Amino acid sequence: MTSLQVLRRIRFCAGHRLLGHGGKCENLHGHNYVADIYVSGRGVDPIGRIVDFAELKRLFKGWIDEHWDHGFIVFEKDRETIRAVTSVTPHKIYLLADNPTAENIARHLLEVVAPKLLAGMPGYDLQVKRVAVWETDDSCAEVSLE
């Protein structure tokens, strides 16, 4: 059977810092991120789609808006940043098991977030095979299952 793939692009703004970086990225700063989420599936619905783009937006943009957009993505071992961000009210913080590099953010979306979100879509045979996270217009990290 043919495997089809679609892309859903999600834009969000978030702050972070890279603990131990040694350069300017060790300072708290933010990015206008773009996450490209590649979803593959087998077969199509009667309309000819593997999934409605609006459903992917609802799931992935909904999750990103709730957890990351206009917040800070912070390495769970970065006590200084956790203390700084949580000292402000209100605040939004998401603790990541690894330094919040574009690579680790992409991997988290692929390995942790996507399977949970797609599990909530019974009747579909979908899988996120690849995620690319753009920190800037010129810099991107990509992770795939292949």
Side-chain angles (χ1 to χ4, degrees):
M1 181 176 267
T2 303
S3 177
L4 300 170
Q5 183 172 269
V6 296
L7 162 67
R8 182 66 210 199
R9 177 165 284 167
I10 308 292
R11 299 176 191 279
F12 65 101
C13 302
H16 75 150
R17 83 168 186 150
L18 300 181
L19 185 64
H21 180 271
K24 64 183 182 177
C25 290
E26 196 163 4
N27 296 305
L28 286 172
H29 64 285
H31 295 283
N32 295 316
Y33 287 99
V34 176
D36 289 339
I37 300 164
Y38 295 84
V39 180
S40 66
R42 295 181 185 270
V44 295
D45 66 13
I47 297 171
R49 310 167 298 188
I50 62 170
V51 64
D52 187 339
F53 286 119
E55 281 299 300
L56 294 178
K57 179 181 179 181
R58 180 184 66 78
L59 289 173
F60 286 95
K61 184 164 179 17
W63 189 93
I64 288 172
D65 282 353
E66 180 182 343
H67 295 93
W68 289 350
D69 189 49
H70 285 79
F72 283 89
I73 305 170
V74 178
F75 182 22
E76 65 185 16
K77 294 181 181 176
D78 187 351
R79 297 293 165 217
E80 290 178 313
T81 298
I82 293 168
R83 190 170 34 257
V85 172
T86 58
S87 72
V88 177
T89 302
H91 63 267
K92 186 179 196 178
I93 189 168
Y94 187 91
L95 299 181
L96 207 61
D98 300 293
N99 236 349
T101 61
E103 294 88 342
N104 287 332
I105 291 170
R107 188 171 64 228
H108 188 74
L109 281 170
L110 179 70
E111 295 175 354
V112 177
V113 176
K116 289 179 186 175
L117 294 178
L118 294 181
M121 295 186 67
Y124 288 93
D125 183 13
L126 302 174
Q127 184 178 29
V128 174
K129 296 274 192 167
R130 182 168 47 135
V131 172
V133 170
W134 293 83
E135 269 192 359
T136 69
D137 291 341
D138 303 316
S139 302
C140 170
E142 187 175 295
V143 62
S144 66
L145 294 177
E146 301 162 12

Short mmCIF file of all heavy atoms in Angstrom, two decimals, residues 16 19 26 30 36-37 39 46 67 74 82 84 96 100 112 116 118 123 134:
data_model
loop_
_atom_site.label_atom_id
_atom_site.label_comp_id
_atom_site.label_asym_id
_atom_site.label_seq_id
_atom_site.Cartn_x
_atom_site.Cartn_y
_atom_site.Cartn_z
N HIS A 16 14.15 30.66 25.76
CA HIS A 16 14.95 29.58 26.31
C HIS A 16 16.35 30.11 26.58
O HIS A 16 16.64 31.27 26.35
CB HIS A 16 14.98 28.37 25.35
CG HIS A 16 15.86 28.55 24.15
ND1 HIS A 16 16.49 27.50 23.53
CD2 HIS A 16 16.23 29.65 23.44
CE1 HIS A 16 17.20 27.92 22.50
NE2 HIS A 16 17.05 29.22 22.41
N LEU A 19 22.00 26.05 28.67
CA LEU A 19 22.88 25.92 29.83
C LEU A 19 24.22 25.35 29.39
O LEU A 19 24.28 24.34 28.68
CB LEU A 19 22.22 25.02 30.87
CG LEU A 19 22.96 24.86 32.20
CD1 LEU A 19 23.04 26.21 32.92
CD2 LEU A 19 22.26 23.84 33.07
N GLU A 26 23.67 31.34 25.99
CA GLU A 26 23.54 30.98 27.40
C GLU A 26 22.69 32.03 28.14
O GLU A 26 22.27 31.81 29.27
CB GLU A 26 24.91 30.83 28.05
CG GLU A 26 24.84 30.10 29.38
CD GLU A 26 26.18 29.58 29.86
OE1 GLU A 26 27.21 29.84 29.20
OE2 GLU A 26 26.19 28.91 30.89
N GLY A 30 14.71 34.72 23.14
CA GLY A 30 13.58 34.07 22.51
C GLY A 30 13.72 33.96 21.01
O GLY A 30 14.61 34.56 20.41
N ASP A 36 7.85 22.21 11.59
CA ASP A 36 7.29 21.48 10.44
C ASP A 36 7.08 20.04 10.88
O ASP A 36 8.04 19.35 11.24
CB ASP A 36 8.24 21.53 9.25
CG ASP A 36 8.32 22.90 8.61
OD1 ASP A 36 7.39 23.71 8.81
OD2 ASP A 36 9.32 23.17 7.92
N ILE A 37 5.83 19.62 10.86
CA ILE A 37 5.47 18.29 11.34
C ILE A 37 4.98 17.47 10.15
O ILE A 37 3.97 17.81 9.53
CB ILE A 37 4.40 18.40 12.44
CG1 ILE A 37 4.97 19.24 13.60
CG2 ILE A 37 3.95 17.03 12.91
CD1 ILE A 37 3.95 19.76 14.56
N VAL A 39 3.46 14.20 8.71
CA VAL A 39 2.59 13.11 9.13
C VAL A 39 2.37 12.17 7.95
O VAL A 39 2.02 12.61 6.86
CB VAL A 39 1.23 13.65 9.64
CG1 VAL A 39 0.32 12.51 10.07
CG2 VAL A 39 1.44 14.64 10.77
N PRO A 46 -12.86 9.20 2.14
CA PRO A 46 -13.63 9.35 0.90
C PRO A 46 -13.36 10.65 0.15
O PRO A 46 -13.60 10.74 -1.06
CB PRO A 46 -15.08 9.29 1.39
CG PRO A 46 -15.02 8.49 2.66
CD PRO A 46 -13.71 8.87 3.29
N HIS A 67 1.38 24.76 25.83
CA HIS A 67 2.59 24.44 26.58
C HIS A 67 3.80 25.33 26.29
O HIS A 67 4.63 25.52 27.18
CB HIS A 67 2.98 22.97 26.33
CG HIS A 67 1.98 22.02 26.87
ND1 HIS A 67 0.95 21.52 26.11
CD2 HIS A 67 1.82 21.52 28.11
CE1 HIS A 67 0.22 20.72 26.85
NE2 HIS A 67 0.72 20.69 28.07
N VAL A 74 12.59 25.19 29.20
CA VAL A 74 13.75 25.22 30.09
C VAL A 74 14.24 23.81 30.38
O VAL A 74 13.44 22.90 30.66
CB VAL A 74 13.38 25.94 31.41
CG1 VAL A 74 14.55 25.96 32.38
CG2 VAL A 74 12.89 27.36 31.13
N ILE A 82 14.90 28.29 36.01
CA ILE A 82 13.62 27.93 36.62
C ILE A 82 13.27 28.94 37.71
O ILE A 82 12.15 29.44 37.78
CB ILE A 82 13.67 26.49 37.18
CG1 ILE A 82 13.79 25.48 36.02
CG2 ILE A 82 12.44 26.20 38.05
CD1 ILE A 82 14.13 24.07 36.46
N ALA A 84 14.37 32.04 38.03
CA ALA A 84 14.11 33.35 37.43
C ALA A 84 12.72 33.43 36.81
O ALA A 84 11.98 34.38 37.06
CB ALA A 84 15.19 33.67 36.39
N LEU A 96 12.00 20.64 30.02
CA LEU A 96 12.44 19.64 29.05
C LEU A 96 13.55 18.81 29.70
O LEU A 96 14.35 19.33 30.46
CB LEU A 96 12.98 20.37 27.82
CG LEU A 96 12.93 19.68 26.47
CD1 LEU A 96 11.51 19.34 26.06
CD2 LEU A 96 13.56 20.57 25.41
N PRO A 100 17.23 22.91 25.82
CA PRO A 100 16.25 23.20 24.78
C PRO A 100 16.86 23.70 23.47
O PRO A 100 16.58 24.80 23.00
CB PRO A 100 15.35 24.24 25.43
CG PRO A 100 16.24 24.95 26.39
CD PRO A 100 17.19 23.91 26.89
N VAL A 112 7.76 12.29 21.96
CA VAL A 112 6.90 12.38 23.14
C VAL A 112 5.52 12.93 22.80
O VAL A 112 4.50 12.32 23.12
CB VAL A 112 7.58 13.24 24.24
CG1 VAL A 112 6.67 13.40 25.45
CG2 VAL A 112 8.92 12.63 24.64
N LYS A 116 1.33 10.84 21.55
CA LYS A 116 0.19 11.09 22.44
C LYS A 116 -0.95 11.77 21.70
O LYS A 116 -2.11 11.41 21.86
CB LYS A 116 0.62 11.94 23.63
CG LYS A 116 1.49 11.21 24.61
CD LYS A 116 1.90 12.13 25.74
CE LYS A 116 2.90 11.45 26.67
NZ LYS A 116 3.41 12.35 27.69
N LEU A 118 -1.58 11.82 18.39
CA LEU A 118 -2.18 10.98 17.35
C LEU A 118 -2.94 9.80 17.93
O LEU A 118 -3.86 9.28 17.29
CB LEU A 118 -1.12 10.51 16.36
CG LEU A 118 -0.48 11.63 15.52
CD1 LEU A 118 0.53 11.04 14.56
CD2 LEU A 118 -1.52 12.45 14.78
N GLY A 123 -9.36 5.58 14.38
CA GLY A 123 -9.83 5.44 13.01
C GLY A 123 -8.83 5.91 11.98
O GLY A 123 -9.05 5.73 10.78
N TRP A 134 12.64 25.22 13.19
CA TRP A 134 13.41 26.38 12.73
C TRP A 134 13.51 27.38 13.88
O TRP A 134 12.49 27.84 14.38
CB TRP A 134 12.71 27.04 11.54
CG TRP A 134 12.68 26.19 10.32
CD1 TRP A 134 11.79 25.20 10.02
CD2 TRP A 134 13.60 26.25 9.24
NE1 TRP A 134 12.10 24.64 8.82
CE2 TRP A 134 13.21 25.26 8.30
CE3 TRP A 134 14.71 27.04 8.97
CZ2 TRP A 134 13.91 25.05 7.12
CZ3 TRP A 134 15.40 26.83 7.79
CH2 TRP A 134 14.99 25.85 6.88
#
